[in-house]
């Protein structure tokens, strides 16, 4: 926390205090009573001392989320991870039923069929830009709860839609509401765990956006075949209901400035609240202005920090390929390998197993490498110590794409392309984790850096399925996946190596980095 005090030329005037939140975000100048008369007045020379005393007390305060018991921390992590699992699950659960959806609504255009799946990701990209700053105004918990309830309502709308346009509209709106866990979840993990302890928690949180879309089609294929495509959305509604029943009574606020502000208000200490929590109290005097700052900051990070841009681009490329697989798997495994709709869902098992193995081994490898390099550096960790795990994972992405593409092109046994997707899934998860940890560790505005990466990856997740069928029709599965593998090699291997050696020097020159 940085605190500056400016002497007022008028003894009885106010004193300006500039405060930077110890969690992140922006410096704010507020005016609080200085000197004057009455019991509530605070002498000027006591303001800084009072705030610093509160900061020292906070480090050992039992209500500080980082001082919660292990059980309470992991309960919060599990609940947020469940929220983060349900919404990506919904993004792809309908994928095996796309042919049935086309028949139901009379859709003949491959692009429109793909859009019914991927339009979810367009609003999923936009949502965090609004919901992340709202979580810093009002707390993370109610953004998560309300987002889940609204998400439930819009999925019910998808199930009951009678036209293509209404279905696409409800899919778009459900993506916006469903982005709440993506907007807040990484911040919750940062609230609960210090840098040295957060890799395992971040791995658990990160598996939701990845394994959810892989498990969704496996479940959705059987539901669509046995009950009908609309029952896919009824199942999502039921899962949202379970999530709310569990999380509303058990999940507690984790964002420190909001927790402390609420406590100080209950203690009837408004001067302390204004001085210690100005980012939450006034937001530069305007909530709209504060919202605009948070909306623009991810764009600033993407355009002014090459490190943030290239890591976000690599994550976005892999996410785009991932959703391209969802759009093309039904045709490949039903037309080439003659799977039924129900059996076709099993084609996603390779991705799911790859994610599970990466969650176990990727988090362990990331922790071990970080701790080993920290010890060699006198016990001090650096963001660049996350990069070796990223480099390790980046080799599996092109291997998986080459394996999957050319085995599908040759139409050899169905298990071979599925094994290839397993390698891709392992590489995808093993690279996602260190990228997110690096962004949290390296940038002052960690939530904005994660939002930038989330927006970028969701936009490519929306765009890739729209041209996938055309690309594979022109190049074949082998040529198309080789093109994607080449992009993964060009972006995913040399740039992380460069960041490992030059990242610290580049960050030292940037005001955006820690």
């Amino acid at each position: 926390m940085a605190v500056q005090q400016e002497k007022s030329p008028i003894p009885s005037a106010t004193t300006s205090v500039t405060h930077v939140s110890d969690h992140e975000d922006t410096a704010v100048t507020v005016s609080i009573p200085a000197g004057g008369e009455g019991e509530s007045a605070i002498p000027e020379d006591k303001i800084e001392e009072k705030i610093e005393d509160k900061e020292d007390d906070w480090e050992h305060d039992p209500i500080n989320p980082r001082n919660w018991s292990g059980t309470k921390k992991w309960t919060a992590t599990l609940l947020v991870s469940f929220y983060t699992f349900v919404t990506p699950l919904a993004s792809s659960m309908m994928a095996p039923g796309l042919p049935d959806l086309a028949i139901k609504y009379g859709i003949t255009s491959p692009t429109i069929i793909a859009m019914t799946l991927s339009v979810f990701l367009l609003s999923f990209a936009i949502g965090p830009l609004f919901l992340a700053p709202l979580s810093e105004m009002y707390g993370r918990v109610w953004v998560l709860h309300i987002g889940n309830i609204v998400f439930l309502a819009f999925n019910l709308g998808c199930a009951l839609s009678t036209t293509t346009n209404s279905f696409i509209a409800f899919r778009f709106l459900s993506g916006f509401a469903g982005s709440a866990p993506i907007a807040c979840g990484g911040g919750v993990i940062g609230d609960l765990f210090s840098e040295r302890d957060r890799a395992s928690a971040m791995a658990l949180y990160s598996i939701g956006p990845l394994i959810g879309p892989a498990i969704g089609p496996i479940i959705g294929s059987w539901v669509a075949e046995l009950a009908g495509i609309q029952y896919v959305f009824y199942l999502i509604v039921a899962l949202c209901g379970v999530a709310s029943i569990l999380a509303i009574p058990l999940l507690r606020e984790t964002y420190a400035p909001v927790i402390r502000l609420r406590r100080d208000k209950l203690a009837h200490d408004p001067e302390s609240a204004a001085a210690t929590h100005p980012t939450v109290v006034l937001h530069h005097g305007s909530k709209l202005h504060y919202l605009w700052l948070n909306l623009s900051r991810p764009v600033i990070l993407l355009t002014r920090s090459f490190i943030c841009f290239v890591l976000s681009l690599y994550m976005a490329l892999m996410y785009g390929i991932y959703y391209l697989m969802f759009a093309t798997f039904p045709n490949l495994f039903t037309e080439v390998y003659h799977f039924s709709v129900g059996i076709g869902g099993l084609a996603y098992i390779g991705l799911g197993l790859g994610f599970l193995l990466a969650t176990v081994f990727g988090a362990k490898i990331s922790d071990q490498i970080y701790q080993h390099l920290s010890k060699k550096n006198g016990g001090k960790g650096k963001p660049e110590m996350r990069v070796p795990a990223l480099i390790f994972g980046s080799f599996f992405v092109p291997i998986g794409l080459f394996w999957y593409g050319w085995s599908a092109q040759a139409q050899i046994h169905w298990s071979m392309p599925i094994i290839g997707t397993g390698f891709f899934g392992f590489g995808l998860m093993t690279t996602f984790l260190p990228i997110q940890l690096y962004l949290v560790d390296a940038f002052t505005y960690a939530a904005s850096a994660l939002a930038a990466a989330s927006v970028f990856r969701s936009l490519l997740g929306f765009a890739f399925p729209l041209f996938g069928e055309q690309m594979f029709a022109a190049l074949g599965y082998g040529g198309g996946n080789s093109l994607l593998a080449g992009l993964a090699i060009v972006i995913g291997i040399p740039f992380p190596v460069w960041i490992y050696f030059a990242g610290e020097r580049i960050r030292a020159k940037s005001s955006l980095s820690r």
Side-chain angles (χ1 to χ4, degrees), residues 413-496:
H413 192 269
W414 55 264
S415 63
M416 295 303 287
I418 291 176
I419 292 172
T421 63
F423 277 103
F424 172 76
F426 182 87
L428 178 59
M429 182 67 185
T430 309
T431 53
F432 256 54
L433 177 60
I435 288 175
Q436 292 199 93
L437 289 170
Y438 185 95
L439 293 175
V440 170
D441 292 352
F443 291 94
T444 305
Y445 306 109
S448 297
L450 290 175
S454 174
V455 169
F456 211 165
R457 75 175 188 241
S458 295
L459 286 175
L460 289 197
F462 162 73
F464 269 47
L466 300 182
F467 64 78
E469 289 291 347
Q470 294 89 329
M471 181 182 71
F472 288 135
L475 301 176
Y477 284 103
N481 281 285
S482 294
L483 173 62
L484 298 172
L487 291 173
I489 291 171
V490 170
I491 299 172
I493 295 177
F495 284 109

Side-chain angles (χ1 to χ4, degrees), residues 144-432:
L144 289 167
H145 293 333
I146 294 171
N148 182 65
I149 293 169
V150 176
F151 182 66
L152 181 155
F154 286 140
N155 274 282
L156 189 60
C158 289
L160 300 175
S161 293
T162 57
T163 66
T164 304
N165 289 338
S166 63
F167 179 84
I168 291 175
F170 278 119
R171 279 285 286 176
F172 179 85
L173 293 171
S174 65
F176 187 93
S179 67
I182 302 298
C184 306
V188 171
I189 302 303
D191 296 340
L192 293 169
F193 297 93
S194 65
E195 290 84 350
R196 299 179 65 87
D197 303 324
R198 68 170 59 120
S200 296
M202 187 66 82
L204 179 63
Y205 164 74
S206 298
I207 197 173
L210 297 177
I211 201 168
I215 293 176
I218 298 173
I219 302 171
S221 61
W222 291 106
V223 174
E225 183 173 24
L226 298 175
I229 186 66
Q230 70 271 23
Y231 283 89
V232 169
F233 298 99
Y234 290 137
L235 179 57
I236 295 166
V237 168
L239 288 172
C240 290
V242 171
S244 287
I245 290 170
L246 291 173
I248 289 176
L250 295 177
L251 188 60
R252 295 290 177 264
E253 183 57 58
T254 64
Y255 189 49
V258 170
I259 294 172
R260 297 166 70 184
L261 176 64
R262 290 173 181 170
R263 182 183 62 180
D264 287 347
K265 282 185 175 180
L266 289 173
H268 305 292
D269 192 2
E271 293 88 356
S272 175
T276 315
H277 322 292
T279 54
V280 188
V281 178
L282 293 181
H283 313 307
H284 271 248
S286 167
K287 291 181 179 180
L288 288 177
H289 180 62
Y290 181 73
L291 185 63
W292 170 248
L293 288 176
N294 283 274
L295 286 171
S296 60
R297 190 175 293 122
V299 177
I300 292 171
L301 283 166
L302 281 175
T303 54
R304 297 186 186 178
S305 170
F306 185 71
I307 291 177
C308 182
F309 172 79
V310 75
L311 290 178
S312 299
L313 176 62
Y314 184 45
M315 183 184 285
L317 172 66
M318 293 186 292
Y319 209 65
I321 296 169
Y322 183 36
Y323 271 85
L324 178 59
M325 288 182 175
F326 291 142
T328 56
F329 269 17
N331 282 341
L332 172 64
F333 287 99
T334 57
E335 295 180 8
V336 176
Y337 292 102
H338 308 294
F339 286 12
S340 67
V341 174
I343 297 296
L346 300 178
Y348 300 84
I349 285 179
L351 287 166
L353 288 176
F355 293 148
L356 288 174
L357 289 172
T359 302
V360 175
F361 295 107
K364 186 175 181 181
I365 290 169
S366 181
D367 268 339
Q368 288 178 342
I369 292 174
Y370 186 82
Q371 291 170 9
H372 173 72
L373 294 175
S374 296
K375 287 179 181 177
K376 289 179 65 176
N377 194 42
K380 184 179 179 182
K382 298 178 182 179
E384 283 69 33
M385 295 173 184
R386 307 287 188 188
V387 175
L390 167 59
I391 296 170
F392 168 76
S394 66
F395 284 99
F396 288 90
V397 173
I399 291 172
L401 289 172
F402 283 126
W403 189 317
Y404 162 67
W406 288 106
S407 60
Q409 179 81 16
Q411 299 185 19
I412 58 179
H413 192 269
W414 55 264
S415 63
M416 295 303 287
I418 291 176
I419 292 172
T421 63
F423 277 103
F424 172 76
F426 182 87
L428 178 59
M429 182 67 185
T430 309
T431 53
F432 256 54

Side-chain angles (χ1 to χ4, degrees), residues 300-301 304-308 442-444 503-514:
I300 292 171
L301 283 166
R304 297 186 186 178
S305 170
F306 185 71
I307 291 177
C308 182
F443 291 94
T444 305
E504 185 177 9
R505 185 178 70 251
I506 294 170
R507 287 189 299 107
K509 299 176 182 178
S510 173
S511 61
L512 300 172
S513 303
R514 295 186 194 276

